[in-house]
Amino acid sequence: MLDKVLNAKSVAIIGASKNKTKRGYQAIKTLLADGFEGEIYPVNPKEDKILGLTCYKDIMDIEGPVDLALITTPARTIPAILKRCGQKKVAGAVIIAGGFRELGDKGKELEQAVVKAAQENGIRFIGPNTSGMINLKTNMNLVGIQNAPLGNIALLCQSGNMALTLITEATIRKHEGFTYYVGVGNESDIKFHEYLEFFRNDPDTKVILMYVEGMSEGRKFLQEAYKTSIKKPIVLLKSGRSATGKRSAGSHTGSLAGVSEVAKAAYARAGIIVIENSDELFPVAETLSSQPAVKNNSIAILADGGGHATIAADLLSDYGINMPQLSDKTQAQLRAILPEAASVVNPVDVAGGTDADPSLFADCVKIIIKDPNVGGILVVGLFGGYGIRFDKSLAIGEEAAAHRFGAMVKKRNKPILVHSLYSSHESRALDLLRHYDIPVHDSLDISCKCVAALCQYGNYLKSYHAKTSFVFNWKAKAKREGDLIIETARREGRHVLLEHEAKSLIKLHGAQTDVGQVAKTEDEAWEIAKKISKNLVLKIVSPDILHKSDAGGVKLNLGSENEVRNGFRQIMENALAYNPKADIRGVLVSPMAQTGLEIIIGTKTDELFGPVIMYGLGGIMVEIMKDVTFWVLPISTASCRKMIEDTRSSVLLDGVRGQSGYDKKSLRKLIAICSELIESYPDIEEMDLNPVILYEQGLDVVDARIILKK
């Protein structure tokens, strides 16, 4: 269905105008000037002709078929116009007007009316509150931006100014351009994930570039991104990280803004390259569209000065990129052509060896790129500027080197990127590099970010597994006993499982935990205690007391009969004092857990992505260190390993200072069980296992809380 919208062969301009300042005039003028390949139909009941084209009183008066309507009239007119478009069998619309949910309740109500009108009339629409869309391949420019360059990048953007910035940058760089630009606007109808599906199947699009302020269907977006990123890179900048930024984004698109830790992890897992600085956005997309990914996360630096080499090495190290030692053979070959003062380890510093003949750069690159330890090369320094800085005659050698660079990328399928202080100067050598799709930047930071993106994408392609998707197979592994536990709580009007119910549910799916037994009297408590050889813990059992410790409802390390009986009485007294109206079911009697490493595993329902899981150190450490990681569920056993490794504290699991390590296999299994539980029982809103005590062998879920959806 999106094909007729984004590849429309006929466009009606509703709200066409002779006023040169109006969008209804500018759109027609641009379509004519750019040579749009399809039909243009101005619609305005007050005009006969506009810019030489027949103007129709109503869209129903148009004789031929209409694929797309560009609606430039005020917000209040849109529902009625969509009804007329439906009668004409128009496939799609671009709704320019603002004044919808971004302005509050009245605007939201109007936006709902627009959506309803579109659905009832079978119309898909872009916007509202959009700058428009451009198909560069057919010259269908419904935005009015002049001289937008054709290329292989599809641009999805929720800011007209941001789109203008990116298109202007592409125009200035004169290297890469766009297949399409879509101003997504409020995303009221066509969603981000639908655009991904379209661009994934577009043969001319190599990279999808996105600026996002708000997104309405996060999980569907991740599902489509996961299918897309294995074929084409997705580069995304998400605004709204600060409180002020969120307010600004909210007032613009009316959608939830902000980049949470959940979102960062989810985007990375879906293969999306997340950008945090706007000046890196287009360079990264351009690089991914023109250079092969780095297959082994390893880069060699070739420099004509130590300062730039050192800074580049530091930046790449910060991105987690390896700078491997070059092989003995590579080093020997470099020594043979470079001065004695040159450094032939990685980074390689030519130490003046290129001063008299900059074509030597290509000789060095040829040697380095053949090294099996090297996945790509970053050239830093003066390349492209020798003929400017020293003598014009040196430009010939630089141009020869540029030609060879281009050939080597193609032959070795390894990327070459160039940082040059002379990037903004007129340089034939640098123009040649761009001709061969080799990125050139005057910013070392941006150059290194582009290298990092190639490495990140290469790492993703290497680790991709088709089964590690974001799709739930709801209730596939649910057990009847588990359903009964939840049904009992529902029948009693509870949305919280009691601790022993929660433990019974997780144990049913294979979790290592002692459920304990509920005692209603102190006599029962002692009878249970006598059967347990270890010290005991007593906990209040009440659906009205979630935080048991706050209510004085926990007693630890009890052994004797007197301790157990006194503990039972004190817990009951404390609970009643804490909440006299509490529904108290008794006291849970369980063995005390042994000493080990405390961790926490929790799940919740994220507003954007749905069920997610958190892992980190437990107890008070989760508050102090905040060393936790989030993943969108479901999660595979292999992903459990990566989730654990993503925390700074993961080194503790291997043991430190002579201590034994901990049972990572059991930990991975428990995380996978939590994922299985959420998939099995859709009624679960939140789950909190804290603490879980991890041992050298095995683990123990000491406390468990499960909250059901209301």
Side-chain angles (χ1 to χ4, degrees):
M1 191 62 171
L2 291 194
D3 184 66
K4 277 201 169 183
V5 179
L6 298 177
N7 292 327
K9 292 181 172 57
S10 54
V11 181
I13 313 299
I14 301 179
S17 174
K18 287 184 176 179
N19 186 333
K20 295 181 179 181
T21 66
K22 297 290 187 180
R23 188 65 178 271
Y25 174 89
Q26 295 165 356
I28 298 170
K29 181 182 178 182
T30 302
L31 288 170
L32 291 171
D34 288 0
F36 172 52
E37 298 173 6
E39 300 294 329
I40 307 168
Y41 300 116
V43 178
N44 186 327
K46 298 179 181 179
E47 303 292 347
D48 295 323
K49 280 188 176 291
I50 297 178
L51 289 170
L53 298 176
T54 298
C55 190
Y56 297 86
K57 306 299 182 185
D58 184 89
I59 195 167
M60 295 297 295
D61 297 335
I62 300 172
E63 299 87 356
V66 177
D67 292 335
L68 183 66
L70 174 66
I71 304 175
T72 67
T73 57
R76 67 181 183 279
T77 67
I78 307 299
I81 290 173
L82 288 175
K83 185 176 179 180
R84 297 297 286 166
C85 289
Q87 293 170 348
K88 180 62 180 173
K89 305 298 182 185
V90 175
V94 177
I95 302 175
I96 301 298
F100 293 94
R101 72 174 179 260
E102 69 273 13
L103 295 186
D105 291 340
K106 285 188 177 180
K108 185 176 181 181
E109 186 177 326
L110 179 57
E111 187 167 327
Q112 290 170 346
V114 169
V115 172
K116 182 180 178 183
Q119 290 174 345
E120 289 176 348
N121 290 280
I123 296 171
R124 303 306 309 274
F125 68 86
I126 298 170
N129 191 21
T130 174
S131 60
M133 63 85 63
I134 306 174
N135 179 335
L136 277 299
K137 297 188 291 182
T138 64
N139 296 316
M140 184 173 66
N141 186 341
L142 302 181
V143 178
I145 296 176
Q146 300 296 313
N147 303 316
L150 176 65
N152 57 29
I153 299 171
L155 175 59
L156 291 169
C157 196
Q158 281 183 306
S159 163
N161 282 352
M162 194 67 193
L164 180 59
T165 298
L166 293 167
I167 292 172
T168 301
E169 183 175 355
T171 304
I172 292 171
R173 288 179 60 78
K174 299 177 181 178
H175 176 216
E176 192 50 77
F178 303 92
T179 50
Y180 299 84
Y181 157 62
V182 179
V184 178
N186 285 11
E187 198 199 11
S188 302
D189 178 40
I190 305 175
K191 310 297 183 185
F192 274 109
H193 66 270
E194 296 179 274
Y195 293 117
L196 286 191
E197 182 182 9
F198 177 86
F199 292 133
R200 178 173 72 242
N201 296 317
D202 177 56
D204 301 308
T205 296
K206 288 187 177 181
V207 173
I208 301 167
L209 177 57
M210 303 177 63
Y211 170 76
V212 179
E213 291 183 347
M215 186 180 293
S216 60
E217 295 189 16
R219 181 166 288 268
K220 287 183 179 179
F221 173 74
L222 293 178
Q223 291 167 357
E224 285 300 329
Y226 196 74
K227 297 175 189 175
T228 302
S229 57
I230 189 65
K231 296 182 178 181
K232 301 174 181 181
I234 302 170
V235 182
L236 181 148
L237 172 64
K238 178 73 171 69
S239 68
R241 285 179 292 167
S242 67
T244 304
K246 289 179 184 179
R247 288 196 300 272
S248 175
S251 65
H252 185 199
T253 65
S255 300
L256 178 70
V259 184
S260 65
E261 292 303 316
V262 174
K264 289 179 182 178
Y267 290 151
R269 183 177 159 198
I272 297 169
I273 310 296
V274 176
I275 304 297
E276 295 191 353
N277 299 314
S278 60
D279 60 344
E280 298 170 345
L281 192 55
F282 185 78
V284 166
E286 180 187 53
T287 298
L288 288 165
S289 75
S290 61
Q291 290 289 298
V294 176
K295 298 179 177 62
N296 62 355
N297 199 48
S298 297
I299 291 293
I301 298 171
L302 174 63
D304 54 11
H308 283 131
T310 302
I311 295 170
D314 287 343
L315 289 169
L316 294 181
S317 294
D318 289 343
Y319 286 122
I321 296 169
N322 301 324
M323 276 158 289
Q325 182 172 331
L326 302 179
S327 69
D328 292 342
K329 179 181 178 181
T330 300
Q331 292 189 43
Q333 289 176 331
L334 289 171
R335 286 194 191 96
I337 63 172
L338 290 175
E340 187 176 346
S343 172
V344 296
V345 295
N346 190 12
V348 175
D349 185 352
V350 298
T354 54
D355 287 358
D357 181 11
S359 69
L360 194 62
F361 273 110
D363 297 328
C364 293
V365 168
K366 183 179 180 180
I367 293 168
I368 296 169
I369 207 167
K370 286 195 272 186
D371 193 308
N373 296 325
V374 173
I377 298 176
L378 174 62
V379 179
V380 301
L382 305 181
F383 185 84
Y386 280 73
I388 300 169
R389 172 71 175 84
F390 300 112
D391 188 83
K392 290 181 180 180
S393 63
L394 298 178
I396 298 173
E398 291 183 293
E399 291 168 22
H403 282 297
R404 293 173 64 191
F405 281 6
M408 283 185 274
V409 171
K410 188 174 182 180
K411 181 178 181 179
R412 297 291 172 182
N413 198 33
K414 293 181 181 180
I416 298 173
L417 290 85
V418 174
H419 156 259
S420 174
L421 297 178
Y422 292 86
S423 174
S424 59
H425 289 65
E426 291 290 332
S427 168
R428 170 71 176 160
L430 298 183
D431 286 342
L432 283 170
L433 290 179
R434 297 181 182 108
H435 170 75
Y436 289 115
D437 291 333
I438 293 175
V440 181
H441 299 286
D442 56 10
S443 165
L444 197 51
D445 294 78
I446 288 177
S447 295
C448 289
K449 180 63 179 180
C450 291
V451 171
L454 290 174
C455 289
Q456 182 181 339
Y457 190 56
N459 294 341
Y460 176 76
L461 294 177
K462 188 166 58 176
S463 64
Y464 178 86
H465 195 290
K467 293 183 179 179
T468 310
S469 65
F470 298 89
V471 180
F472 280 112
N473 188 6
W474 293 111
K475 294 192 73 68
K477 295 185 179 180
K479 301 180 186 297
R480 181 55 187 156
E481 301 95 316
D483 286 332
L484 287 173
I485 291 172
I486 292 175
E487 288 170 11
T488 298
R490 292 294 196 197
R491 191 168 54 250
E492 294 179 1
R494 292 188 279 121
H495 66 278
V496 178
L497 297 188
L498 303 173
E499 182 180 339
H500 64 286
E501 292 175 328
K503 285 184 172 180
S504 295
L505 185 59
I506 66 173
K507 189 170 185 176
L508 194 60
H509 285 259
Q512 300 173 50
T513 185
D514 193 304
V515 174
Q517 291 180 259
V518 178
K520 296 185 178 180
T521 67
E522 64 180 80
D523 288 338
E524 287 184 11
W526 176 238
E527 286 301 316
I528 296 168
K530 286 191 295 184
K531 300 173 185 177
I532 301 173
S533 58
K534 302 176 183 177
N535 278 0
L536 305 168
V537 56
L538 303 184
K539 302 179 187 177
I540 191 68
V541 178
S542 171
D544 300 317
I545 302 176
L546 294 182
H547 302 287
K548 297 181 280 287
S549 297
D550 293 348
V554 180
K555 296 292 179 182
L556 306 174
N557 283 315
L558 308 181
S560 68
E561 179 178 359
N562 187 52
E563 288 175 335
V564 172
R565 290 182 179 277
N566 285 338
F568 184 96
R569 288 194 297 271
Q570 289 173 20
I571 284 175
M572 296 296 282
E573 291 170 4
N574 292 343
L576 287 171
Y578 181 78
N579 185 354
K581 295 182 180 180
D583 175 11
I584 298 175
R585 306 292 180 90
V587 172
L588 187 65
V589 183
S590 309
M592 279 289 296
Q594 301 174 28
T595 302
L597 181 66
E598 286 192 23
I599 61 172
I600 180 173
I601 300 172
T603 72
K604 69 172 185 175
T605 303
D606 183 79
E607 188 172 1
L608 182 58
F609 299 115
V612 300
I613 191 166
M614 177 194 75
Y615 159 78
L617 289 184
I620 62 171
M621 297 304 288
V622 71
E623 297 295 334
I624 296 172
M625 292 186 65
K626 300 186 186 303
D627 182 24
V628 296
T629 183
F630 293 88
W631 281 59
V632 174
L633 293 173
I635 185 171
S636 67
T637 304
S639 296
C640 292
R641 184 191 307 273
K642 180 67 168 61
M643 186 179 188
I644 295 167
E645 291 173 351
D646 280 350
T647 59
R648 298 188 304 275
S649 56
S650 63
V651 293
L652 296 177
L653 300 181
D654 295 320
V656 293
R657 296 186 178 180
Q659 294 180 349
S660 299
Y662 296 92
D663 190 344
K664 292 188 284 187
K665 183 177 180 180
S666 291
L667 176 56
R668 293 194 297 270
K669 181 181 177 182
L670 180 59
I671 294 173
I673 287 170
C674 290
S675 179
E676 181 180 303
L677 282 161
I678 298 301
E679 191 167 22
S680 299
Y681 308 103
D683 275 2
I684 296 177
E685 176 77 17
E686 291 183 25
M687 179 165 53
D688 188 20
L689 309 185
N690 183 32
V692 175
I693 308 298
L694 190 60
Y695 306 121
E696 187 176 343
Q697 294 293 327
L699 54 78
D700 186 4
V701 180
V702 175
D703 199 359
R705 182 176 67 176
I706 292 178
I707 299 175
L708 306 178
K709 294 174 181 175
K710 294 182 179 179

